[in-house]
């Protein structure tokens, strides 16, 4: 498992890893707590969220939902960018050439990359949880609410978060390998995660078949899983599918993306 | 044999970029893989490392199929410039590579030592000069004491001092018995450090021999006055402009003959055939 160690070492010391994780944590704090807190305390509450909903969203016991709702779209986009950059930039830097001539077979090299990315993404989800939990406890204490720690249900939300994160990671890896570079991979990935699926959902309201399709696309499945485990009130969260169905689709995407990327990596000439 | 290829061929479309190349590298030698830009050197080397699959033909590296762990772990390579993470230090880059190769910390330090990069090992790769980058590439290739070192144009882009450093490094490695396969488009470089040479042009291996044989019988250039008289005196000489060319190694004998016949000798020097000339001759003959 020298390949995992090697890849982890280089991801760990990569500024981009920490910049992206940092940006995500700031985003989740800002949109999950800072704005809600301000809205609760004297901001003109123009949005449809009632006071009660705002309080509920920030309660420590609902931290699982707070973690998972950010991942279908914006969190997913950040994870996708991280994976696409990590894999795609190796072509331009020539590091894939170095990696594939180091010794381990290509499957192992690829497994090392996936394993290390997996560890980084698990860390990202764990940090999101810790930061959200800290923020929710801070808000609850400041406001003097009666609060309690989340119950065991939180693991369901965290499991869903990990599955959603895994899908976006696989998507990013796939794009990085297919486009053999960071720029196109990131561009296409962001376009897909933030623009294309939303446009399709817009079309879907007019055309039935497109609508059913959008539910099971990568972002759609992620949104539905997030909705099924209690996430709500964030862009990209949907409630059109059961949690199990959405989870199965996500699992399918992980297998397809990772499988296709590995297949290409193993079979294709590296020039 | 450390490397053998049998009619190794790579086609892109209908163009054979490497065309039935059969070469062999022996243990302990520095093998020069010589050819002009676009001849197919890098493509051949990529096939030896399993980065590119041959269209047809086969290759063996240390008795193993190219690209397998058993082959790769015994080969250190630097292909078309070093491939490192720009944001990592030289040392960290080697550590990453060492982890993949199963080499420990001491191996990393030893490799840094060998290429004289210990002082700059903590600096980011991005900030390295071209020469330092290239040396780090060699250091990575040296990790794990490979039986074969494959260096693809290791002096490419280096200034004369950097080139000399790199050649010294290769010579030092060769002196320790290291087998090296080195590609180059510079005849002078190959002549200086290689034992045997394979010449490739337009994808075909047009010669494989020792450096001596490649250079062929050396010629002498003679400028003398009167030239006509010298031409008559020296058997087999040919007139090229205001000079004579002659296939003869012993300049002393010729000069004595000319001086004895009262011919003024203005210049006698070995006629260095340029790579271009060698190529023209070889491709013309083929
Ligand atoms: N992936 C590819 N697709 C098409 N043609 C290619 C590909 N890779 C290399 N070639 C062509 O193959 C030929 C040989 O390339 P190669 O890089 O092996 O030459 P080289 O001898 O290493 O040259 P140089 O001295 O410039 O490095 C070139 O004409 C190049 O354009
Ligand atoms: Mg080349």
């Amino acid at each position: 498992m020298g390949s995992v160690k090697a890849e982890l070492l280089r991801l760990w010391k990569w500024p981009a890893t920490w910049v992206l994780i940092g940006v995500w944590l700031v985003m989740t704090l800002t949109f999950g707590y800072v704005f809600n807190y301000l809205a609760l305390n004297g901001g003109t509450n123009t949005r449809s969220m009632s006071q009660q909903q705002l309080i509920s969203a920030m309660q420590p016991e609902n931290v699982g939902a707070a973690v998972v709702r950010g991942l279908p779209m914006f969190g997913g986009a950040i994870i996708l960018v991280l994976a696409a950059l990590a894999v795609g930039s190796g072509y331009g830097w020539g590091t894939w050439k170095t990696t594939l001539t180091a010794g381990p077979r290509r499957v192992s090299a690829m497994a090392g990359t996936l394993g290390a990315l997996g560890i980084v993404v698990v860390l990202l989800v764990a940090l999101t949880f810790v930061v959200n939990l800290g923020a929710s406890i801070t808000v609850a204490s400041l406001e003097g609410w009666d609060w309690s720690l989340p119950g065991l249900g939180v693991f369901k939300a965290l499991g869903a978060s990990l599955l959603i994160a895994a899908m976006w990671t696989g998507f990013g890896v796939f794009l990085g390998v297919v486009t053999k570079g960071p720029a196109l991979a990131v561009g296409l990935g962001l376009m897909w995660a933030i623009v294309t699926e939303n446009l399709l959902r817009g079309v879907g309201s007019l055309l039935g078949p497109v609508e059913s399709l959008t539910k099971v696309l990568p972002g759609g499945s992620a949104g539905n899983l997030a909705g099924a485990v209690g996430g709500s009130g964030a862009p990209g969260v949907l409630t059109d599918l059961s949690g199990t169905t959405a989870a199965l689709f996500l699992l399918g995407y992980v297998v397809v993306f990772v499988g296709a990327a590995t297949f290409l990596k193993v079979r294709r000439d590296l020039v | 044999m450390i490397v053998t290829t049998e009619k190794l061929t790579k086609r892109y479309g209908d163009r054979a970029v490497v065309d039935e190349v059969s070469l062999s590298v022996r243990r302990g030698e520095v093998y020069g893989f010589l050819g002009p830009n676009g001849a197919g050197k890098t493509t051949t080397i990529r096939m030896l490392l399993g980065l590119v699959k041959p269209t047809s033909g086969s290759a063996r590296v240390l008795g193993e199929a190219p690209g397998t762990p058993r082959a790769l772990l015994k080969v250190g390579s630097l292909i078309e410039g070093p491939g490192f993470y720009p944001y990592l230090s030289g040392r960290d880059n080697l550590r990453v590579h060492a982890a993949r190769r199963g080499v420990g910390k001491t191996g990393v330090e030893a490799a840094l030592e060998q290429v004289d990069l210990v002082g700059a090992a903590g600096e980011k790769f991005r900030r390295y000069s071209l020469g330092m980058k290239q040396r780090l590439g060699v250091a990575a290739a040296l990790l794990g004491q490979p039986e074969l070192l494959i260096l693809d144009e290791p002096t490419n882009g280096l200034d004369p001092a950097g080139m000399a450093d790199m050649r010294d490094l290769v010579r030092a490695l060769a002196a320790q018995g290291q087998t090296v396969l080195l590609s180059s488009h510079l005849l002078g470089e190959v002549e200086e450090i290689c034992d045997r040479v394979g010449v490739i042009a337009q994808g075909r291996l047009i010669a494989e021999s020792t450096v001596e044989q490649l250079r062929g019988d050396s010629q002498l250039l003679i400028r003398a006055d009167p030239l006509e008289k010298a031409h008559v005196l020296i058997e087999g000489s040919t007139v090229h402009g205001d000079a004579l060319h002659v296939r003869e190694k012993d300049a002393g004998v010729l000069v004595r003959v000319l001086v004895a016949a009262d011919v003024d000798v203005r210049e006698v020097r070995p006629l260095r055939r340029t790579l271009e000339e060698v190529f023209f001759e070889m491709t013309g003959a083929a």
Side-chain angles (χ1 to χ4, degrees):
Chain A
M1 281 294 92
S3 293
V4 178
K5 187 182 155 203
E7 197 72 12
L8 203 54
L9 176 60
R10 77 97 174 169
L11 285 176
W12 201 258
K13 294 205 169 185
W14 193 23
T17 307
W18 299 106
V19 169
L20 288 170
I21 291 179
V23 164
W24 171 240
L25 293 179
V26 169
M27 263 177 82
T28 181
L29 269 185
T30 312
F31 290 96
Y33 297 93
V34 176
F35 288 155
N36 285 356
Y37 181 78
L38 293 177
L40 195 63
N41 286 278
T44 47
N45 201 349
T46 51
R47 291 190 60 201
S48 59
M49 263 194 169
S50 70
Q51 289 247 335
Q52 207 44 54
Q53 276 174 310
L54 281 178
I55 291 172
S56 163
M58 289 191 285
Q59 282 284 8
E61 61 182 334
N62 291 331
V63 69
V67 171
V68 78
R69 75 178 163 209
L71 290 170
M73 196 186 276
F74 295 117
I78 286 203
I79 291 169
L80 182 146
V81 167
L82 177 64
L85 281 181
V87 173
S89 49
Y91 290 93
W93 290 336
T95 45
W96 271 121
K97 167 184 76 188
T98 312
T99 301
L100 296 190
T101 51
R105 35 184 101 252
R106 290 187 180 198
V107 182
S108 314
M110 193 63 183
T113 299
L114 291 166
L117 267 176
I119 292 171
V120 169
V121 169
V122 168
L123 179 77
L124 180 143
V125 173
L127 282 175
T128 311
F129 174 69
V130 169
V131 163
N132 279 6
L133 187 64
S136 63
I137 292 174
T138 307
V139 170
S141 311
L142 283 176
E143 296 289 297
W145 298 332
D146 263 350
W147 61 270
S148 53
L149 284 172
L152 287 179
V154 75
F155 289 109
K156 209 166 156 190
L158 288 181
S161 302
L162 286 175
L163 186 53
I164 294 170
M167 187 280 291
W168 287 117
T169 309
F171 202 166
V173 168
F174 172 73
L175 285 174
V177 171
V178 167
T179 64
K180 299 189 202 175
L184 195 55
V186 167
L188 288 177
L190 282 181
M191 177 91 179
W192 181 270
I194 296 177
V195 183
T196 311
E197 282 207 34
N198 284 317
L199 286 179
L200 284 174
R201 270 173 225 153
V203 176
S205 57
L206 305 172
L207 289 168
V210 177
E211 188 178 17
S212 2
L213 177 68
T214 58
K215 291 175 192 166
V216 298
L217 288 176
S221 308
N224 275 303
L225 183 60
V229 296
S232 66
V237 175
L238 305 167
T239 49
D240 300 323
L241 295 179
S242 78
T244 317
T245 313
L248 284 176
F249 269 102
L250 284 177
L251 212 56
Y253 283 121
V254 173
V255 171
V256 169
F257 286 143
V258 168
T262 306
F263 178 80
L264 282 177
K265 191 85 238 169
V266 170
R267 296 297 294 274
R268 215 163 42 180
D269 282 355
L270 188 77
V271 289
Chain B
M1 285 300 169
I2 296 280
V3 178
T4 52
T5 72
E6 186 70 37
K7 294 196 170 178
L8 196 63
T9 302
K10 182 69 184 181
R11 297 182 164 278
Y12 287 115
D14 10 315
R15 198 169 140 234
V17 164
V18 174
D19 197 0
E20 302 202 337
V21 166
S22 303
L23 58 77
S24 56
V25 178
R26 298 170 190 162
R27 187 171 291 279
E29 74 180 0
V30 179
Y31 184 97
F33 197 30
L34 185 65
N37 290 140
K41 304 182 292 294
T42 302
T43 306
T44 305
I45 287 174
R46 283 182 196 279
M47 287 193 276
L48 294 181
L49 290 161
L51 291 175
V52 165
K53 278 173 210 68
T55 311
S56 62
S58 64
R60 285 268 149 192
V61 177
L62 293 145
E64 309 284 349
T68 56
R70 284 147 72 93
L72 289 175
L73 285 170
K74 288 186 269 182
V75 179
S77 58
L78 169 59
I79 318 149
E80 258 190 355
F84 291 114
Y85 301 103
Y87 57 87
L88 288 183
S89 69
R91 180 178 281 117
D92 280 340
N93 265 301
L94 287 192
R95 279 196 187 145
V96 169
H97 195 56
R100 297 190 206 279
R101 275 177 95 69
V103 173
K105 260 198 174 124
T106 47
V108 169
E109 295 307 316
L112 285 169
E113 194 96 37
Q114 266 179 296
V115 300
D116 198 19
L117 265 183
V118 176
E123 264 180 68
K124 296 223 182 313
F125 176 71
R126 189 194 304 135
R127 295 207 238 289
Y128 275 15
S129 72
L130 208 55
M132 289 157 81
K133 287 180 175 171
Q134 209 76 345
R135 273 187 283 152
L136 189 68
V138 176
L142 288 170
L143 282 177
Q145 294 165 323
E147 287 180 47
L148 167 65
L149 204 56
I150 296 183
L151 304 174
D152 184 20
E153 308 214 28
T155 58
N156 216 2
L158 301 186
D159 64 15
M163 282 179 148
D165 280 352
M166 184 62 72
R167 285 172 199 157
D168 287 345
L169 181 60
V170 174
R171 260 195 298 253
L173 289 166
Q176 296 159 27
Q178 174 76 57
T179 310
V180 184
L181 165 54
L182 174 140
S183 85
S184 177
H185 60 268
L186 304 172
L187 182 64
E189 177 168 295
V190 165
E191 191 180 17
E192 238 182 278
I193 52 183
C194 297
D195 304 311
R196 270 191 340 126
V197 189
V199 182
I200 185 170
Q202 291 170 1
R204 307 195 122 255
L205 193 71
I206 53 179
E208 192 181 48
S209 64
T210 63
V211 172
E212 309 278 285
Q213 284 168 325
L214 174 70
R215 301 276 324 248
D217 7 80
S218 55
Q219 293 196 46
L220 286 177
L221 176 144
I222 299 163
R223 270 184 236 283
D225 199 16
L227 193 67
E228 257 321 300
K229 193 165 171 194
H231 178 44
V232 174
L233 279 167
I234 301 171
E235 220 169 292
S237 64
T238 50
V239 182
H240 292 259
D242 63 345
L244 297 177
H245 291 185
V246 62
R247 287 185 197 288
E248 169 64 61
K249 289 208 173 86
D250 196 345
V253 174
L254 289 179
V255 172
R256 249 175 276 134
V257 168
L258 292 175
V259 171
D262 214 17
V263 175
D264 286 343
V265 180
R266 307 218 187 284
E267 184 182 7
V268 179
R269 62 178 164 87
L271 191 61
R272 298 209 139 210
R273 293 197 301 167
T274 64
L275 177 62
E276 219 175 355
E277 286 166 335
V278 173
F279 272 125
F280 278 138
E281 278 172 41
M282 283 182 173
T283 44

